[in-house]
Amino acid sequence: MSYSVAVSGASGYAGGELLRLLAEHPDVEIRTVTAHSNAGQPLIQHQPHLRSLAHLTLQDTTPEILSGHDVVFLALPHGQSGQYTDALGDTRLVIDCGADHRLTDGADWDSFYGGHFHEPWAYGVPELPVAGAKQREQLVGATRIAAPGCNASTVSLSLAPGVAAGVIDPSDIVSVLAVGPSGAGKSLKPHLLGAELFGSANPYAVGGSHRHIPEIRQALRAAGATGDIRISFTPVLVPMARGILATSTARISDGVTDAQIRDAWESAYGDETFVQLLPEGQVPRTADVLGANTALIGLTVDRAAGRVVVVTAVDNLAKGTAGAAIQSMNIALGLPESRALTVNGVAP
Amino acid sequence: MSYSVAVSGASGYAGGELLRLLAEHPDVEIRTVTAHSNAGQPLIQHQPHLRSLAHLTLQDTTPEILSGHDVVFLALPHGQSGQYTDALGDTRLVIDCGADHRLTDGADWDSFYGGHFHEPWAYGVPELPVAGAKQREQLVGATRIAAPGCNASTVSLSLAPGVAAGVIDPSDIVSVLAVGPSGAGKSLKPHLLGAELFGSANPYAVGGSHRHIPEIRQALRAAGATGDIRISFTPVLVPMARGILATSTARISDGVTDAQIRDAWESAYGDETFVQLLPEGQVPRTADVLGANTALIGLTVDRAAGRVVVVTAVDNLAKGTAGAAIQSMNIALGLPESRALTVNGVAP
Amino acid sequence: MSYSVAVSGASGYAGGELLRLLAEHPDVEIRTVTAHSNAGQPLIQHQPHLRSLAHLTLQDTTPEILSGHDVVFLALPHGQSGQYTDALGDTRLVIDCGADHRLTDGADWDSFYGGHFHEPWAYGVPELPVAGAKQREQLVGATRIAAPGCNASTVSLSLAPGVAAGVIDPSDIVSVLAVGPSGAGKSLKPHLLGAELFGSANPYAVGGSHRHIPEIRQALRAAGATGDIRISFTPVLVPMARGILATSTARISDGVTDAQIRDAWESAYGDETFVQLLPEGQVPRTADVLGANTALIGLTVDRAAGRVVVVTAVDNLAKGTAGAAIQSMNIALGLPESRALTVNGVAP
Amino acid sequence: MSYSVAVSGASGYAGGELLRLLAEHPDVEIRTVTAHSNAGQPLIQHQPHLRSLAHLTLQDTTPEILSGHDVVFLALPHGQSGQYTDALGDTRLVIDCGADHRLTDGADWDSFYGGHFHEPWAYGVPELPVAGAKQREQLVGATRIAAPGCNASTVSLSLAPGVAAGVIDPSDIVSVLAVGPSGAGKSLKPHLLGAELFGSANPYAVGGSHRHIPEIRQALRAAGATGDIRISFTPVLVPMARGILATSTARISDGVTDAQIRDAWESAYGDETFVQLLPEGQVPRTADVLGANTALIGLTVDRAAGRVVVVTAVDNLAKGTAGAAIQSMNIALGLPESRALTVNGVAP
């Protein structure tokens, strides 16, 4: 059968990537695409790379237009999804790519986002270790799914196996991310201009203010962390459209061997298709996951520093957002999990 | 008066930057440029941006050709400078941009470089706090100077004030650097090809193997660190020709206030021209120091993570190498320290 | 049924792109991958983005190893394919991505390449207008196919409709191309280093020396050009891994109307999937065809200059090389022409 | 003596480059910097690379604030300079970096800009051949100067010698330019976002609509062109912050020898410092002129195509705008022409 699908925020970057992947999905029919200020215009005007969808016109993002589909993707700015979710009560599956339904703790929401707090939905990172199982189980048959923040899921996937196995100390984590600006969306802000970004590395949200921090803490707690979780998190914009290269380090727990450390990640991801631990001595590059639903993880034990170093490459729009959403959809609808998703990147 | 100058390694990136800066220096005459396999060719063929030096021809890099100048710059691969230094005994000032004369500890040399260990020379980072003073003092009248490693000096400048003031814990340091590939020199290696680097973030030397680690430890010890110095150090190649954006974090010492932290850096660099602490809430970008001799430092205290976050932007070829060398030369020769050096970057 | 496939030159860029596309092709089995100096190593070491092919090992490129497959792709440096083609006499389909079998005129071969001249094979640009038909017809059932040069096919597709319809003058053509360096292969040459290419536009082969010029002339003659074909052709390396943005202009023939001009391209490509003429006033970007088998063409009539301006975007590795090869394979084998090929690019 | 200077539009890219160069100028004092919506803010907030000017505050752009200086630079959007010029009647030297005073022909202004037509000022490209002399002569002692359009001056410098010498046909010119987006200013437009520009070549103003076309025609006419001047002009945004690489070709006049062609450029620029003809067989790269006031010209004769190919590299903000303005200022004020300007680029 074919599921009818609507994508809101279809003129943006996350919406565009959802459509790129859905266009190749044999079990869905992209029936409706919506936008806000661009409603009424051809989709192709805003997504000129989506040639196979040139027949679609952007409609208004209203509850009426979004309702009546089997699956609705909300790719809207944070804080805007909530208003549609009530009206979509009959929709079989709603997947929110915004932050509105990610956090379980209202206090975290208040501190990092503010405004009305919405109930948490099933978190769309299937491979994440949670309490002796995988997050995948919570997605089977789910009707409401919160796609992850791209930086948050990258760091969570990087460290959760070590936290779950107790081989690293969650109270001493440092993550520094080289990220492409597409994660910030198609926003007209001076610091996102090409001339500002070419040839430059530009940090932002330094010192603990980035909104993905509580999401990481939540994932690590779900993976089994007890006590304080303390993360120093610094994203740095670098000159590439897409990609996250997260370097995450954590203090090694006392008395743990190198083999035990490696085993923690191997046993967590050894059977996974889309989260791959690289062989010892190898590190990933973001180019290798461009357009792919793959997270590549390089793991090193630095005994001199007393820390595990986990370097993870992800395409922020694919595995980081739209790929995760579609993988979660596949699971929720009982389709093969990897349908319409590829492990192979576009390189060079 | 005018000092006669020779630059070896003149066809490489460090050599090119030395020449670019020296070409504007009113007190020097660039008399000799040397190379290895490119000897006999016009300099302009290898440095087509150095239009004012189009009259120079690359000579062989031999002790005979290098001797007889007031100042000799050695911009050679690591391990190759030592052979020239004996023959340059009469030279008033020799500045080595390689690693051969940086390390004071032979065991560090053996672990990270290997081969013959050379005596340490005065370390060319004038602004670095050392034992209640500045490294500058050791450069006054110096005749032999070791220019710093670009990553090493960036991280050392980032953290030395906090170490010197005792407000951060040198046994818990994490540095992750976004770096341009010019720091690796004009080497014909597959991973340095443009097609491999465009649109990608590529880590290397992950897990404690980078050769600049002992140099950082040495600088922090000189700044007053006692006990173990433990650094997790990860460089990531990003798509820009030049630049280092170092994100360094360290655990805050017990009982230290935010004001004490900020004061450590302010008192260290408040009077410096080329190392500037940005006002609270500001972070630097590498574009802002392109071609400049400036290190810009953004300092944030992240109490939730219990860490100080220091983000520092440097041009690896300028302040990181050639600028540091010429600044050190100015000091050694008694010239105004900032001669031929600018604080202003070329942006956008 | 499934066709067994061998890909030579599998550690290079063209070979990698062939494999990326073939990995998603339901009718082929990638049985053999070969290389030269890298033989014996895992494919994934050289193509870390091809995660689904991690089980393959590079073998030697010998006639023995290549023979015995249904389809053999030769992605070798120019001049090296010829030695294998004799030994592959029994192979159902051989597709050469090198230049060895592209040119029909031995004098052109001698002038631009030199060495042994090989017989021309069916030229792998299906959409190209040839003598009242399409090049596609010559590919149906073909057993030997010469995949095109990426720049050559881009310019040929840009101008052939106008030449075929007689609305432009083939003796007054100027093409300037912004190209990514992956077209030059994984060659260790100084001018292809990242540090040389970031932030710079670097022309090469200026003034009529580029080897794709005779290939363009040949295609335009096949499209119906009579008399002199004169092309000023200048490629410029720009800072992107992939992509060709060809700006081609030609003098408008006397007495031709704007409508006649537009109609020439519309009638040539109106029914094509992978070569698309954009609506009036629109121009293409290379980002929109990244990883896609699409050529996007923007056509403008500049009456003040008396010239047609055709701007065409192509992914040099996809539609320019590997995509064209696989599209041609599909046609030759009687498979659906677009199998394993997408019209949608990966953007942003 | 020291000239007092005001720079309007100081928060933009052209204004920033003016200030970067003026900051090193020994004969000027930057007294006033003005902006529009950013008035009242520290300059350093908008130009964080201009560390030596951190003490300046942006004032309103009003005639009152701009008046009373020896030299005023207007770096305002096109059409906005005119309102200030009347009020600056007493100012010794006004240099407009906008288009308002460039065109001599009101009809051109109406066609390409529109709005009130202002009288033409002395055109600020000193090296341009004009009627047997150089444009420089018109700048000596000038009190009102129109700095050139960056693309226009690049193409004009490329072709004027050939036009002046009669060796090329001005009725058959094609120019295609690879350009960085800083030429478009700090405008918040979607197509100037980094995510849209990374990894892509994006043409614009295709087909004769670019506003620099009449300026080129005017310069070529001043150089001696008679009859129709027909230019096909296509700019292509490529992923670099700065730089213009203009490939300009023109039909060779009948009966002209290669030596005559080369001699035309050599005699035009042989004595110039900032416009340099490269030796035969060499082509320029934009990296080599980054931050420099240099135009590098590579000249090739393509007899097979019947065209001269001129490839010229310029930094659009330096030699293309601010460098030209300051060079013109130096001439107008009787200062050494190259003061505060360098021929050396910042590379790699």
Side-chain angles (χ1 to χ4, degrees):
Chain A
M1 83 163 275
S2 185
Y3 296 92
S4 64
V5 167
V7 174
S8 68
S11 60
Y13 290 149
E17 187 71 354
L18 283 167
L19 291 168
R20 187 180 74 84
L21 297 172
L22 289 169
E24 313 284 341
H25 200 301
D27 303 312
V28 308
E29 182 210 355
I30 303 171
R31 192 176 292 168
T32 303
V33 291
T34 78
H36 187 64
S37 57
N38 300 317
Q41 299 173 4
L43 174 67
I44 196 82
Q45 184 176 330
H46 296 276
Q47 309 285 11
H49 61 300
L50 299 178
R51 310 309 302 173
S52 73
L53 304 179
H55 56 286
L56 294 173
T57 298
L58 292 164
Q59 301 183 56
D60 261 324
T61 304
T62 66
E64 294 70 35
I65 287 174
L66 291 178
S67 69
H69 300 82
D70 297 318
V71 184
V72 172
F73 291 92
L74 300 172
L76 304 171
H78 302 312
Q80 298 193 8
S81 304
Q83 58 185 306
Y84 300 102
T85 50
D86 285 349
L88 297 174
D90 295 337
T91 303
R92 171 157 175 180
L93 177 58
V94 181
I95 300 183
D96 185 9
C97 295
D100 298 25
H101 298 279
R102 287 184 201 149
L103 297 184
T104 56
D105 180 343
D108 275 345
W109 179 263
D110 290 345
S111 303
F112 284 85
Y113 293 90
H116 184 65
F117 175 64
H118 299 280
E119 55 163 1
W121 290 356
Y123 190 59
V125 187
E127 301 88 350
L128 209 58
V130 281
K134 285 288 179 70
Q135 177 64 18
R136 180 178 287 112
E137 296 178 15
Q138 299 179 25
L139 295 166
V140 177
T143 60
R144 296 293 177 272
I145 294 173
C150 53
N151 298 312
S153 65
T154 303
V155 174
S156 300
L157 286 167
S158 299
L159 297 175
V163 166
V167 300
I168 55 173
D169 174 358
S171 78
D172 187 356
I173 294 173
V174 176
S175 279
V176 180
L177 296 84
V179 302
S182 62
K186 223 183 261 188
S187 322
L188 292 179
K189 296 177 182 162
H191 76 284
L192 297 178
L193 286 174
E196 302 293 316
L197 294 170
F198 287 125
S200 191
N202 301 2
Y204 69 100
V206 177
S209 62
H210 197 284
R211 289 172 159 183
H212 286 185
I213 292 174
E215 196 177 328
I216 299 168
R217 284 201 306 244
Q218 178 175 307
L220 297 186
R221 193 166 310 284
T226 54
D228 257 12
I229 303 177
R230 310 181 87 185
I231 305 169
S232 169
F233 178 93
T234 309
V236 179
L237 287 169
V238 300
M240 57 191 191
R242 295 182 177 217
I244 295 173
L245 196 289
T247 301
S248 303
T249 85
R251 182 160 299 283
I252 302 170
S253 301
D254 290 343
V256 168
T257 66
D258 287 15
Q260 286 172 313
I261 293 170
R262 195 155 188 92
D263 184 60
W265 273 263
E266 262 171 9
S267 56
Y269 298 136
D271 295 334
E272 294 291 349
T273 300
F274 292 122
V275 180
Q276 301 190 4
L277 178 65
L278 297 178
E280 213 158 343
Q282 291 185 20
V283 285
R285 315 177 307 169
T286 60
D288 293 327
V289 297
L290 184 79
N293 198 48
T294 313
L296 292 180
I297 299 180
L299 173 70
T300 314
V301 179
D302 182 349
R303 285 286 167 184
R307 302 184 80 93
V308 169
V309 183
V310 187
V311 184
T312 302
V314 156
D315 181 327
N316 57 304
L317 292 178
K319 180 61 176 167
T321 303
I326 288 167
Q327 185 181 355
S328 297
M329 176 194 80
N330 287 340
I331 296 170
L333 297 178
L335 298 168
E337 186 172 331
S338 66
R339 187 150 287 172
L341 300 169
T342 179
V343 291
N344 296 333
V346 178
Chain B
M1 81 162 275
S2 184
Y3 296 93
S4 64
V5 167
V7 174
S8 68
S11 60
Y13 291 149
E17 188 71 355
L18 283 166
L19 291 167
R20 186 180 74 84
L21 297 172
L22 289 168
E24 314 283 341
H25 199 301
D27 302 312
V28 308
E29 180 210 357
I30 302 171
R31 189 176 294 169
T32 303
V33 291
T34 79
H36 187 65
S37 57
N38 300 318
Q41 299 172 4
L43 173 68
I44 196 83
Q45 184 176 329
H46 297 275
Q47 309 286 12
H49 61 299
L50 299 179
R51 309 309 303 173
S52 73
L53 304 179
H55 56 286
L56 294 174
T57 298
L58 292 164
Q59 302 183 56
D60 260 326
T61 304
T62 66
E64 294 70 34
I65 288 174
L66 291 178
S67 67
H69 299 82
D70 296 317
V71 184
V72 173
F73 291 92
L74 301 172
L76 303 169
H78 302 312
Q80 298 193 9
S81 303
Q83 59 186 304
Y84 301 102
T85 50
D86 284 350
L88 298 174
D90 295 337
T91 302
R92 170 157 177 180
L93 177 59
V94 181
I95 300 184
D96 185 8
C97 295
D100 299 24
H101 297 279
R102 287 182 202 150
L103 297 184
T104 56
D105 180 344
D108 275 344
W109 179 263
D110 291 344
S111 303
F112 285 86
Y113 293 91
H116 184 67
F117 175 65
H118 299 279
E119 57 163 359
W121 289 355
Y123 190 59
V125 188
E127 302 88 348
L128 209 58
V130 281
K134 284 291 177 70
Q135 177 62 19
R136 178 178 288 110
E137 297 179 14
Q138 300 179 24
L139 295 165
V140 176
T143 61
R144 296 295 178 270
I145 295 173
C150 53
N151 298 311
S153 66
T154 304
V155 174
S156 299
L157 286 167
S158 299
L159 297 176
V163 166
V167 299
I168 57 172
D169 176 358
S171 77
D172 187 356
I173 293 172
V174 176
S175 278
V176 180
L177 296 83
V179 302
S182 61
K186 224 183 259 187
S187 323
L188 291 180
K189 297 178 181 160
H191 76 283
L192 297 179
L193 287 173
E196 303 292 317
L197 294 171
F198 287 127
S200 192
N202 300 2
Y204 70 100
V206 176
S209 62
H210 197 284
R211 288 172 158 182
H212 287 184
I213 293 174
E215 194 176 328
I216 299 167
R217 282 201 306 245
Q218 177 175 308
L220 296 187
R221 193 166 311 283
T226 55
D228 257 11
I229 303 177
R230 310 182 86 186
I231 305 169
S232 169
F233 178 92
T234 309
V236 179
L237 287 169
V238 300
M240 56 190 193
R242 297 182 175 215
I244 295 173
L245 196 288
T247 301
S248 303
T249 84
R251 182 161 297 285
I252 302 170
S253 302
D254 290 342
V256 167
T257 66
D258 287 15
Q260 287 172 312
I261 293 171
R262 197 158 187 89
D263 184 60
W265 273 262
E266 262 170 9
S267 56
Y269 298 135
D271 294 335
E272 295 290 349
T273 299
F274 291 123
V275 180
Q276 301 191 2
L277 178 66
L278 297 178
E280 211 158 347
Q282 291 185 21
V283 285
R285 314 177 307 170
T286 61
D288 293 327
V289 296
L290 184 79
N293 197 49
T294 314
L296 293 180
I297 299 180
L299 173 72
T300 315
V301 179
D302 181 349
R303 285 285 167 185
R307 302 184 80 92
V308 168
V309 184
V310 185
V311 184
T312 303
V314 156
D315 181 326
N316 56 303
L317 292 178
K319 179 61 177 168
T321 303
I326 289 168
Q327 185 182 355
S328 297
M329 176 194 81
N330 287 339
I331 296 170
L333 298 177
L335 298 168
E337 185 172 331
S338 66
R339 187 152 287 174
L341 300 169
T342 177
V343 291
N344 295 333
V346 179
Chain C
M1 82 161 276
S2 184
Y3 297 93
S4 64
V5 167
V7 174
S8 68
S11 60
Y13 291 148
E17 187 71 354
L18 283 166
L19 291 168
R20 186 179 74 84
L21 297 172
L22 290 168
E24 314 281 341
H25 200 301
D27 302 313
V28 309
E29 180 211 356
I30 303 171
R31 190 175 294 168
T32 303
V33 291
T34 79
H36 187 63
S37 57
N38 300 318
Q41 299 173 3
L43 174 68
I44 196 83
Q45 185 176 328
H46 296 275
Q47 309 286 11
H49 61 300
L50 299 178
R51 310 307 304 174
S52 72
L53 304 178
H55 56 288
L56 295 173
T57 298
L58 292 164
Q59 302 184 56
D60 260 326
T61 303
T62 68
E64 294 70 34
I65 286 173
L66 292 177
S67 69
H69 298 83
D70 296 319
V71 183
V72 173
F73 291 92
L74 300 171
L76 303 169
H78 302 312
Q80 298 194 8
S81 304
Q83 58 185 305
Y84 300 102
T85 50
D86 285 350
L88 297 174
D90 294 337
T91 302
R92 170 156 176 183
L93 177 58
V94 181
I95 300 183
D96 186 9
C97 294
D100 298 24
H101 298 278
R102 287 183 201 149
L103 296 183
T104 56
D105 181 344
D108 275 344
W109 179 264
D110 290 345
S111 303
F112 285 85
Y113 293 91
H116 184 66
F117 175 64
H118 299 280
E119 57 164 358
W121 289 355
Y123 189 60
V125 187
E127 301 88 350
L128 209 58
V130 281
K134 285 288 177 73
Q135 177 63 18
R136 179 177 288 112
E137 297 180 14
Q138 299 180 25
L139 295 167
V140 177
T143 60
R144 296 293 177 271
I145 295 173
C150 53
N151 297 312
S153 65
T154 303
V155 174
S156 300
L157 285 168
S158 299
L159 296 176
V163 165
V167 299
I168 57 173
D169 175 359
S171 78
D172 187 356
I173 293 173
V174 177
S175 278
V176 180
L177 295 84
V179 302
S182 62
K186 224 183 261 187
S187 322
L188 291 180
K189 297 177 181 160
H191 76 284
L192 297 178
L193 287 173
E196 302 293 317
L197 295 171
F198 288 126
S200 191
N202 302 3
Y204 69 101
V206 176
S209 63
H210 197 283
R211 289 170 157 183
H212 286 184
I213 292 173
E215 195 178 327
I216 299 167
R217 285 201 305 245
Q218 177 175 307
L220 296 186
R221 194 166 310 284
T226 55
D228 259 10
I229 304 178
R230 310 182 87 185
I231 305 169
S232 169
F233 178 93
T234 309
V236 179
L237 287 170
V238 300
M240 58 190 190
R242 297 182 174 217
I244 296 172
L245 198 287
T247 302
S248 303
T249 85
R251 182 159 298 284
I252 302 169
S253 301
D254 289 344
V256 168
T257 67
D258 288 14
Q260 286 172 313
I261 293 170
R262 195 155 187 92
D263 184 59
W265 273 263
E266 261 171 10
S267 55
Y269 298 135
D271 295 335
E272 295 291 349
T273 300
F274 292 122
V275 181
Q276 300 190 4
L277 179 66
L278 297 178
E280 212 158 346
Q282 292 183 21
V283 285
R285 314 177 307 168
T286 60
D288 293 327
V289 296
L290 184 80
N293 198 48
T294 314
L296 293 181
I297 299 180
L299 173 71
T300 314
V301 179
D302 182 349
R303 284 287 167 185
R307 302 185 81 93
V308 169
V309 183
V310 186
V311 184
T312 302
V314 156
D315 181 326
N316 57 303
L317 292 178
K319 179 62 175 167
T321 303
I326 288 168
Q327 185 182 357
S328 297
M329 177 195 79
N330 287 340
I331 296 170
L333 298 177
L335 298 169
E337 186 172 332
S338 66
R339 186 150 289 174
L341 300 169
T342 178
V343 292
N344 295 333
V346 178
Chain D
M1 82 162 275
S2 184
Y3 296 92
S4 63
V5 167
V7 174
S8 67
S11 60
Y13 291 149
E17 187 70 355
L18 283 166
L19 291 168
R20 185 179 74 84
L21 297 172
L22 289 169
E24 314 282 342
H25 201 301
D27 303 312
V28 308
E29 179 210 358
I30 304 171
R31 189 175 296 169
T32 303
V33 291
T34 78
H36 187 64
S37 57
N38 300 318
Q41 299 173 3
L43 173 68
I44 197 82
Q45 183 176 329
H46 296 276
Q47 309 285 10
H49 60 300
L50 300 179
R51 309 307 305 173
S52 73
L53 304 179
H55 57 286
L56 293 173
T57 298
L58 292 164
Q59 301 184 57
D60 259 326
T61 304
T62 66
E64 293 71 33
I65 287 173
L66 292 177
S67 68
H69 300 83
D70 296 318
V71 184
V72 172
F73 292 92
L74 300 171
L76 303 170
H78 302 312
Q80 297 192 8
S81 305
Q83 59 186 304
Y84 301 101
T85 49
D86 285 351
L88 298 173
D90 294 337
T91 303
R92 169 156 175 184
L93 176 59
V94 181
I95 300 184
D96 185 9
C97 294
D100 298 25
H101 298 278
R102 288 183 200 149
L103 297 183
T104 56
D105 180 342
D108 275 344
W109 179 263
D110 290 344
S111 302
F112 284 84
Y113 293 91
H116 184 67
F117 174 65
H118 299 279
E119 58 164 358
W121 290 355
Y123 189 59
V125 187
E127 300 89 349
L128 209 58
V130 281
K134 285 289 178 69
Q135 179 62 19
R136 178 177 289 111
E137 298 179 13
Q138 300 179 25
L139 295 166
V140 177
T143 60
R144 297 294 178 270
I145 295 173
C150 52
N151 298 311
S153 65
T154 304
V155 174
S156 300
L157 285 168
S158 299
L159 297 176
V163 165
V167 299
I168 57 172
D169 175 358
S171 77
D172 188 356
I173 293 172
V174 177
S175 279
V176 180
L177 296 85
V179 301
S182 62
K186 223 183 262 188
S187 322
L188 292 179
K189 296 177 182 163
H191 76 285
L192 296 179
L193 287 173
E196 302 293 315
L197 294 171
F198 288 126
S200 192
N202 301 2
Y204 70 99
V206 176
S209 63
H210 197 284
R211 289 171 158 181
H212 287 183
I213 293 174
E215 194 177 329
I216 299 168
R217 283 201 306 245
Q218 177 175 308
L220 296 186
R221 194 166 311 285
T226 54
D228 258 10
I229 304 177
R230 308 181 87 185
I231 305 168
S232 169
F233 178 93
T234 309
V236 179
L237 287 170
V238 299
M240 56 191 192
R242 295 182 177 217
I244 295 173
L245 196 289
T247 302
S248 302
T249 85
R251 182 160 298 284
I252 302 169
S253 301
D254 289 342
V256 168
T257 66
D258 287 14
Q260 287 173 312
I261 292 170
R262 195 157 187 90
D263 184 60
W265 274 262
E266 261 170 10
S267 56
Y269 298 135
D271 295 335
E272 294 291 348
T273 300
F274 291 122
V275 181
Q276 301 190 3
L277 179 66
L278 297 178
E280 213 158 344
Q282 291 184 20
V283 285
R285 314 177 307 168
T286 60
D288 294 328
V289 296
L290 184 79
N293 198 48
T294 314
L296 292 180
I297 298 180
L299 173 72
T300 315
V301 179
D302 182 350
R303 285 287 168 184
R307 303 185 80 92
V308 169
V309 184
V310 186
V311 184
T312 302
V314 156
D315 180 327
N316 57 302
L317 292 179
K319 179 62 176 167
T321 303
I326 289 168
Q327 185 182 357
S328 297
M329 175 194 80
N330 287 339
I331 296 170
L333 298 177
L335 298 168
E337 186 172 331
S338 65
R339 186 150 290 175
L341 300 169
T342 177
V343 290
N344 295 333
V346 179

